[in-house]
Structure formats: C-alpha cells, structure tokens
C-alpha cells in the first residue's frame, strides 16, 4: 500500500494591474471573460453558494477537474472560494482561496492567498504556486489587451 499523507501549505501571490477593480472583478465574474485566462467552465454560477466546475487538460496529459463553491463575494473587492482539484479522477487537493482587489493609483493590486491540503505527493504547494503565477500572468495579458 502506498503511504498516505497530507502536506498543508499557504502561499500568497500579488500582482498590480493597470485596470480598475471593476474590470479585474469582471474578469473573474463573467464566464466569457474568465475563459480567456482560465479553463472554460462547464458550470459557472458566480454567486455565494454557486458552483464553478471545469474538466479538461492537455491532449496527452491527465484530465484535471476543478470544482469550486463561492463562499463570499464583495463586488470589486473580494472573492472567496473553496475548491477541490482532481487528476484523472484522483483527489489531489482541497483549498480555500481569497482574492483581494485593492484600488491603487493607476490600477488594482490583486492579492491571491491559497491555503491548501495536498494529498499523497500528487501535488504540492510549490507546484500550485507556480501554476497560480502563470494563471495570474495570463489574467494580466487579457487585461492589457482590453485596455
């Protein structure tokens, strides 16, 4: 039997975008806008208690399933959600994520904090943080293109 264990981790990633908090929030809240920088959702119900669900991956790689529930939404200020991530049907993590949007001169400071439980070495906080950096860079490119 394989060893079973949980690695807990918290990481924070910050970005400053030359876009208003309204535009940044919209990029998270609208399924068409979000699909430009995140996986296209199969289910998207952006409200407290609502669910976001997507499943997919590279043609030759594993199928990743993202299943989130929105816990708190404060327009233009805060998004809090919990989510599970599966790889080929195997649960690899459970997380709570807080996205803070702070108006600054010339744009918005985004603070992304994730607290997660990562299972059995299939994923780690370091790998997730790396992926989050790529994701937030993609969001920045979309926001720049809309400027």
């Amino acid at each position: 039997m394989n060893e079973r264990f949980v690695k807990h981790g918290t990481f924070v990633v910050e970005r400053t975008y030359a876009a208003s908090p309204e535009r940044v929030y919209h990029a998270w809240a609208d399924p068409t806008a979000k699909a430009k920088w995140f996986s296209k959702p199969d289910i998207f119900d952006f409200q407290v208690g609502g669910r976001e669900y997507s499943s997919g991956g590279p043609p030759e790689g594993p199928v990743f399933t993202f299943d989130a529930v929105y816990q708190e939404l404060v327009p233009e200020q805060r998004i809090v959600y919990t989510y599970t991530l599966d790889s080929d049907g195997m649960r690899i993590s459970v997380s709570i994520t807080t996205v803070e949007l702070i108006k600054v001169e010339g744009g918005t400071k985004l603070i992304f904090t994730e607290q997660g439980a990562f299972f059995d070495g299939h994923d780690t906080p370091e790998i997730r943080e790396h992926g989050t950096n790529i994701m937030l860079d993609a969001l920045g490119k979309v926001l720049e293109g809309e400027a």
Side-chain angles (χ1 to χ4, degrees):
M1 182 171 149
N2 293 337
E3 180 186 359
R4 309 286 277 184
F5 64 95
V6 179
K7 181 174 183 181
H8 296 274
T10 299
F11 62 87
V12 178
V13 177
E14 296 184 8
R15 292 287 187 281
T16 300
Y17 300 117
S20 68
E22 293 81 9
R23 282 188 53 226
V24 178
Y25 188 84
H26 176 79
W28 288 81
D30 179 83
T32 302
K34 191 169 185 184
K36 293 177 182 176
W37 60 272
F38 195 74
S39 58
K40 185 178 184 307
D42 301 307
I43 298 169
F44 192 87
D45 183 16
F46 194 78
Q47 63 178 331
V48 173
R51 182 175 179 214
E52 180 175 349
Y53 177 92
S54 62
S55 186
E60 317 251 323
V63 173
F64 289 100
T65 303
F66 171 83
D67 195 356
V69 176
Y70 290 101
Q71 303 296 334
E72 181 176 65
L73 299 171
V74 180
E76 290 90 43
Q77 295 178 41
R78 182 170 53 235
I79 301 165
V80 180
Y81 58 95
T82 52
Y83 75 97
T84 59
L85 188 63
D86 296 354
S87 175
D88 283 337
M90 179 187 310
R91 177 76 24 99
I92 63 174
S93 69
V94 176
S95 296
I96 179 170
T97 301
T98 304
V99 179
E100 298 171 84
L101 305 176
I102 301 165
K103 186 173 181 59
V104 296
E105 187 174 329
T108 302
K109 180 177 183 178
L110 181 147
I111 304 171
F112 182 105
T113 304
E114 183 163 337
Q115 300 165 281
F118 301 86
F119 305 133
D120 305 324
H122 300 295
D123 199 0
T124 67
E126 296 79 15
I127 291 170
R128 186 66 54 82
E129 182 175 358
H130 175 75
T132 298
N133 274 292
I134 293 169
M135 176 185 82
L136 294 178
D137 286 348
L139 170 59
K141 288 179 180 159
V142 167
L143 291 169
E144 285 174 16
E146 294 177 356

